[in-house]
C-alpha cells in the first residue's frame, strides 16, 4: 500500500512543472486503456493534472451489451452521472479531453462531462483513439458542447478493437510511434516549443 504514492511521484517526475502546467487539466475516458496511454503521453510532455472519468454506474464488462447500452443512451440523449468530480474547474485554462470513438460518436460520459462543467474562455483540446473507423462526429460534438471555448485541432490514432478481441495496443513499437506523433501534434498546436 505504502508504495502507491512513491510510484505516482515517479510517474510524474519527468512532467514539466510551473504555472502553465498547474493550469492544465487532462480528462479522459478509457475502457481498455488505449486513450489512457495517450493521456499519459500528453502529461509527460505538458504536465498538468490527469483525471479519469468514472461513472456512478460503470458500463458492463460484456462488449456487445455495452455497445447496445451506448446506442440507446445516444438515441435518448441520456447523460450518465459521473462519479468523478473536478474541484475548481476555474483554475484551469487548458483542458484536454480524451475519449475512444463509441458508435462513431462522442461517448455519453464525455457528453456528461462537457455538459456539467463550464469550459467557457478556456482552450479545449480533444484527443481520441478508435478501432480504425476514425473520430466519427466526436470532435464536432466537442465543439458544439463548448460554444464559448477555443477548441484546438485534435489528435487521433488507431487504438484497439474490442469487437475483434484486440484490447490494449499502446506498447512496443506502437507506443514509440504514438509518442512521436503526440509530440509533433503538441508542437503544431503551440502547446510545446
Ligand atoms: C462501446 C464501444 C463502441 C465502439 N465503437 C467504435 C466505433 O464506432 N468506431 C471505432 O472505430 N471503434 C469503436 N470502438 C473501439 C474503440 O474506439 C477502440 O478500441 C479504442 O481504442 C478504445 O479506447 P480505450 O482503450 O481507451 O477504451 C468501440 C468500442 C466500444 C467499447
Amino acid at each position: 500500500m505504502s508504495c502507491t504514492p512513491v510510484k505516482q511521484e515517479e510517474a510524474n517526475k519527468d512532467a514539466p512543472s510551473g504555472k502553465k502546467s498547474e493550469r492544465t487539466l487532462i480528462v479522459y475516458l478509457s475502457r481498455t486503456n488505449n486513450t489512457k496511454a495517450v493521456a499519459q503521453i500528453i502529461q509527460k510532455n505538458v504536465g498538468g493534472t490527469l483525471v479519469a472519468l468514472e461513472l456512478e454506474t460503470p458500463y458492463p464488462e460484456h462488449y456487445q451489451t455495452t455497445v447496445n447500452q451506448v446506442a440507446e443512451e445516444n438515441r435518448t440523449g441520456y447523460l450518465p452521472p459521473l462519479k468523478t468530480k473536478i474541484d475548481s474547474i476555474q483554475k484551469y485554462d487548458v483542458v484536454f479531453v480524451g475519449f475512444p470513438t463509441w458508435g462513431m460518436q462522442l461517448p455519453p460520459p464525455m457528453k456528461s462531462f462537457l455538459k456539467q462543467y463550464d469550459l467557457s474562455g478556456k482552450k479545449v483540446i480533444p484527443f481520441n483513439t478508435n478501432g480504425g473507423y476514425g473520430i466519427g462526429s466526436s470532435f464536432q460534438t466537442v465543439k458544439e458542447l463548448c460554444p464559448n471555448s477555443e477548441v484546438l485541432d485534435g489528435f487521433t490514432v488507431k487504438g484497439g478493437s474490442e469487437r475483434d478481441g484486440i484490447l490494449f495496443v499502446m506498447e512496443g513499437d506502437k507506443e514509440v510511434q504514438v509518442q512521436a506523433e503526440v509530440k509533433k501534434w503538441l508542437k503544431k498546436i503551440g502547446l510545446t516549443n
Side-chain angles (χ1 to χ4, degrees):
M1 274 298 161
S2 62
C3 336
T4 312
V6 177
K7 268 194 187 152
Q8 185 66 41
E9 249 175 53
E10 270 181 8
N12 292 338
K13 76 176 189 299
D14 298 332
S17 55
K19 279 250 156 57
K20 199 167 165 192
S21 168
E22 272 168 36
R23 294 197 183 138
T24 300
L25 176 67
I26 305 166
V27 180
Y28 68 91
L29 174 75
S30 192
R31 175 176 160 94
T32 46
N33 294 329
N34 294 290
T35 311
K36 177 182 181 182
V38 177
Q40 289 170 330
I41 295 171
I42 293 170
Q43 192 200 30
K44 270 212 154 170
N45 283 275
V46 302
T49 305
L50 199 56
V51 176
L53 274 194
E54 288 182 274
L55 295 179
E56 274 178 14
T57 310
Y59 285 103
E61 267 188 38
H62 188 254
Y63 170 74
Q64 194 55 49
T65 310
T66 304
V67 169
N68 296 345
Q69 185 178 325
V70 166
E72 184 62 8
E73 289 174 355
N74 283 334
R75 193 183 66 77
T76 58
Y78 178 72
L79 298 172
L82 301 175
K83 187 168 122 189
T84 305
K85 308 279 177 240
I86 313 282
D87 56 74
S88 25
I89 193 85
Q90 328 76 261
K91 73 180 179 204
Y92 300 103
D93 45 34
V94 175
V95 181
F96 286 86
V97 289
F99 43 83
T101 305
W102 279 3
M104 297 316 287
Q105 296 194 34
L106 187 68
M110 192 51 82
K111 294 181 186 170
S112 297
F113 171 75
L114 293 175
K115 293 228 178 175
Q116 186 175 337
Y117 291 94
D118 181 9
L119 305 183
S120 295
K122 303 181 194 301
K123 283 189 169 121
V124 173
I125 312 176
F127 62 98
N128 165 271
T129 72
N130 62 78
Y133 296 91
I135 59 172
S137 57
S138 65
F139 284 11
Q140 182 57 34
T141 303
V142 170
K143 280 192 187 147
E144 286 165 12
L145 295 178
C146 302
N148 302 311
S149 309
E150 184 190 353
V151 182
L152 303 192
D153 284 347
F155 175 83
T156 181
V157 67
K158 187 173 171 189
S161 183
E162 195 175 336
R163 190 181 63 176
D164 307 308
I166 303 168
L167 303 181
F168 184 69
V169 300
M170 300 293 172
E171 52 197 348
D173 289 351
K174 173 82 177 179
E175 189 187 18
V176 172
Q177 178 202 332
V178 175
Q179 280 166 347
E181 285 174 18
V182 168
K183 269 188 198 282
K184 200 170 144 195
W185 163 66
L186 288 170
K187 206 171 166 181
K188 195 184 103 200
I189 61 172
L191 265 279
T192 53
N193 297 317

